[in-house]
Amino acid sequence: MATPAGWRQEGNLPVELTSFVGRTRLLASLRQKLQEYRLITVTGIGGVGKSRTALRVAHQVRRQFRDGVWYVDLARLQDPAMVYHTITAALGIADQSPREGSDTLTEWLAERELLLILDTCEHLVDACAQLTQELLDTAPHLRILATSRRSLNAPGEYTAAVPPLTVPGDNPSDPAFTNEAVELFGARASAVVPDFVVDEDNIAAVAELCRRLDGIPLAIELAAVRLRTLSVEQILALLADRFSLLAGASRTALPRHQTLRAAIGWSHELCEPAERLLWARLSVFAGDFELEAARHVCAGDALPSDRILDVIGGLVDKSVLLSFPTPAGQRYRLIDTLRQYGGEWLDKLGETQDLRRRHRDYYLQLAERSEHSWSGPRQVHWYTRMR
Ligand SMILES: Nc1ncnc2c1ncn2[C@@H]1O[C@H](COP(=O)(O)OP(=O)(O)OP(=O)(O)O)[C@@H](O)[C@H]1O
Ligand SMILES: [Mg+2]
């Protein structure tokens, strides 16, 4: 099948926005398994680092695939019937009309040597299992690396569990300073407080904090943000209080998924009311979004339109929102696990229907504006923006 204009051979891997820590053995093992298996699923609890690990491996092996590494984000997809389309859209071949009775994607992949990353499959495991099987059957040089909270249960699948980061004490011969969780805390802390270092004075508290947070990267990142106003010891004391309340008198430790929920709940409580409201409302976005979209969809009541930018800034500072530049301007995105939390909160507020309607109307209107402006002088602007 012909190559569409603008197709980039190297792929579409997103850049990594923050430093990557540790995981040396896991990464080496995944690279090796990619030689042996054609379908690998990286599994683990929310926030443990499945997507980051898959992306890191993908960057490392990029050059081994003649036709590149292609990233497909399924996190926001609701309809299993759309998995196929989402993949063709990510590959940039969605607009190619196949001949009668032929199948664009399998035909396109048949001769190609590429690695497909299917990120976040847990809510679509059956559809993903079936489709990956079909694709692997017809494309002999294709390899697939999926991330999912549970295995796809597909024939020939190799499942690799992503454990939490190592915490001090896991291996008594390892010095606490070079431990993975401590390293991540140090890296994120110095982004918040530029002269922060993990040293003899605070290592005991940092180590205890990492243990309390079970080495879950997302929980560690959320805790590090609090250094803006609190010392490590204060964060630890507040967290310990909170967790002992949650765990009840009889249990000392929380299961890991509860640890994460508790860490998120704690971040949530420490947000300003306007930030909490915006966090909930932003959960309706099915991907990343621009400021104008957030203003149109989310402003109202306690959240006037001219405050949205400030409140977004607050959520970016708290590591709830990611902010990144694109050719079409600055865009934002809620971290996956936090979006779920925001969605639950929006339900509790009883605003879900209303926000979904506003979201739909906004994008419909945007599509119409784009259509009207298409032949005008701002065609390039509209093209990049609509992409
Ligand atoms: N090894 C690592 N080094 C640095 N940061 C990491 C590492 N692993 C995870 N993180 C960070 O922790 C956060 C959660 O990681 P990630 O999104 O990969 O989790 P996940 O398991 O894919 O979660 P979900 O189930 O919600 O999709 C992200 O901000 C990510 O950048
Ligand atoms: Mg993920």
Side-chain angles (χ1 to χ4, degrees):
M1 187 189 291
T3 300
W7 195 73
R8 289 159 303 153
Q9 184 130 337
E10 74 274 17
N12 66 343
L13 270 189
V15 290
E16 295 173 279
L17 297 168
T18 53
S19 61
F20 187 89
V21 166
R23 306 281 201 205
T24 322
R25 282 219 198 101
L26 177 65
L27 293 171
S29 145
L30 285 170
R31 288 195 301 272
Q32 197 226 325
K33 294 295 178 196
L34 265 178
Q35 315 269 339
E36 290 171 43
Y37 291 84
R38 297 180 56 219
L39 171 61
I40 296 186
T41 305
V42 169
T43 59
I45 60 163
V48 81
K50 298 177 294 296
S51 302
R52 251 337 261 279
T53 303
L55 268 183
R56 192 84 282 274
V57 174
H59 277 284
Q60 291 177 335
V61 301
R62 207 169 57 210
R63 294 209 173 73
Q64 294 167 24
F65 292 87
R66 194 188 64 206
D67 297 297
V69 178
W70 294 82
Y71 175 82
V72 185
D73 186 3
L74 300 175
R76 273 72 177 173
L77 193 62
Q78 300 289 329
D79 181 357
M82 291 294 286
V83 175
Y84 178 98
H85 176 79
T86 309
I87 297 175
T88 58
L91 285 166
I93 56 171
D95 306 334
Q96 298 216 312
S97 45
R99 291 187 306 277
E100 196 68 40
S102 79
D103 176 334
T104 316
L105 185 57
T106 45
E107 206 178 300
W108 165 259
L109 288 171
E111 297 304 316
R112 288 191 163 77
E113 238 181 83
L114 61 79
L115 175 64
L116 203 56
I117 312 289
L118 298 182
D119 194 14
T120 319
C121 300
E122 61 263 6
H123 53 307
L124 305 161
V125 279
D126 293 340
C128 288
Q130 199 192 338
L131 186 58
T132 54
Q133 204 50 43
E134 282 169 30
L135 297 179
L136 290 168
D137 281 349
T138 48
H141 306 297
L142 172 70
R143 275 164 208 256
I144 298 176
L145 177 58
T147 81
S148 173
R149 292 186 192 171
R150 57 201 170 110
S151 128
L152 301 189
N153 252 325
E157 174 187 25
Y158 176 83
T159 305
V162 177
L165 297 175
T166 56
V167 297
D170 274 357
N171 184 352
S173 62
D174 285 347
F177 285 99
T178 54
N179 167 268
E180 289 179 342
V182 169
E183 210 182 305
L184 179 64
F185 184 82
R188 299 301 180 259
S190 61
V192 177
V193 181
D195 54 2
F196 181 91
V197 280
V198 180
D199 58 19
E200 291 295 342
D201 293 338
N202 62 20
I203 182 68
V206 171
E208 180 57 21
L209 185 65
C210 291
R211 277 194 293 269
R212 282 274 173 170
L213 294 172
D214 286 325
I216 301 168
L218 180 58
I220 293 174
E221 290 186 333
L222 291 172
V225 167
R226 308 258 63 98
L227 283 173
R228 201 163 283 131
T229 48
L230 301 173
S231 69
V232 185
E233 288 78 6
Q234 285 171 319
I235 298 174
L236 183 60
L238 287 171
L239 196 71
D241 275 358
R242 207 192 138 88
F243 281 17
S244 57
L245 274 179
L246 288 167
S250 59
R251 297 222 314 279
T252 49
L254 291 165
R256 281 187 182 124
H257 63 272
Q258 281 184 48
T259 302
L260 179 65
R261 255 198 105 73
I264 295 172
W266 190 49
S267 278
H268 192 249
E269 277 168 28
L270 289 162
C271 281
E272 305 283 327
E275 289 168 348
R276 257 178 267 170
L277 185 58
L278 187 61
W279 177 348
R281 289 182 178 172
L282 288 174
S283 70
V284 294
F285 283 98
D288 53 62
F289 55 87
E290 55 190 355
L291 175 63
E292 186 190 317
R295 279 208 176 112
H296 274 87
V297 178
C298 301
D301 306 328
L303 208 56
S305 174
D306 58 2
R307 277 215 62 209
I308 298 276
L309 180 60
D310 276 353
V311 183
I312 282 185
L315 290 173
V316 171
D317 284 348
K318 293 185 175 63
S319 291
V320 172
L321 273 183
L322 293 172
S323 162
F324 49 94
T326 72
Q330 197 68 17
R331 294 183 74 84
Y332 306 91
R333 176 193 171 102
L334 263 179
I335 305 242
D336 284 345
T337 307
L338 304 186
R339 175 175 182 261
Q340 254 173 29
Y341 195 90
E344 289 167 21
W345 199 254
L346 194 66
D347 268 345
K348 279 191 206 134
L349 295 173
E351 293 191 2
T352 307
Q353 280 310 320
D354 181 41
L355 262 286
R356 286 206 179 135
R357 219 169 279 130
R358 280 157 68 177
H359 178 272
R360 178 202 61 195
D361 293 347
Y362 174 75
Y363 282 102
L364 177 60
Q365 180 232 356
L366 186 70
E368 285 167 356
R369 269 166 67 203
S370 151
E371 174 122 348
H372 289 309
S373 318
W374 195 246
S375 50
R378 306 222 329 135
Q379 191 186 49
V380 174
H381 162 84
W382 278 102
Y383 177 76
T384 35
R385 187 167 172 198
M386 296 310 280
R387 287 285 290 193

